[in-house]
Amino acid sequence: MQNRIRDLRTIFDLTQDELAEKLEVSRQTISSLEKGRYNPSIMLAYKIAKVFQCRIEDVFIFEGEEK
């Protein structure tokens, strides 16, 4: 599953550390998410979307979907 976390984080001018703090996860979790090595739980996906003021579908791109 691909995601737009890095792009959105840049738009919102957040570092990985700042985003991690908002989500109550480690910076390593954010790094793994951005690199596609980790798929979040539905609750974490919801929190990420809430931070970026958008829908989960706007952050995460499931394989097989058009971008």
Side-chain angles (χ1 to χ4, degrees), residues 1-6 8 19 23 32-34 36 38-50 52 54-63 65-67:
M1 176 170 53
Q2 296 178 344
N3 67 70
R4 296 182 54 231
I5 295 173
R6 180 176 287 142
L8 291 166
L19 180 57
L23 298 172
S32 292
L33 284 165
E34 289 183 354
Y38 173 73
N39 290 327
S41 67
I42 191 69
M43 286 306 298
L44 181 54
Y46 172 78
K47 287 180 180 181
I48 292 167
K50 190 173 176 183
F52 295 131
C54 61
R55 301 174 308 160
I56 291 172
E57 304 87 57
D58 296 328
V59 179
F60 298 94
I61 301 144
F62 298 97
E63 291 181 24
E65 283 188 9
E66 291 184 27
K67 293 182 185 178

Side-chain angles (χ1 to χ4, degrees), residues 2-32:
Q2 296 178 344
N3 67 70
R4 296 182 54 231
I5 295 173
R6 180 176 287 142
D7 295 336
L8 291 166
R9 185 172 56 75
T10 302
I11 291 167
F12 279 75
D13 196 30
L14 294 171
T15 65
Q16 286 185 342
D17 285 321
E18 290 167 337
L19 180 57
E21 187 174 321
K22 287 180 180 291
L23 298 172
E24 300 177 332
V25 297
S26 69
R27 186 201 56 76
Q28 289 82 0
T29 297
I30 302 302
S31 177
S32 292

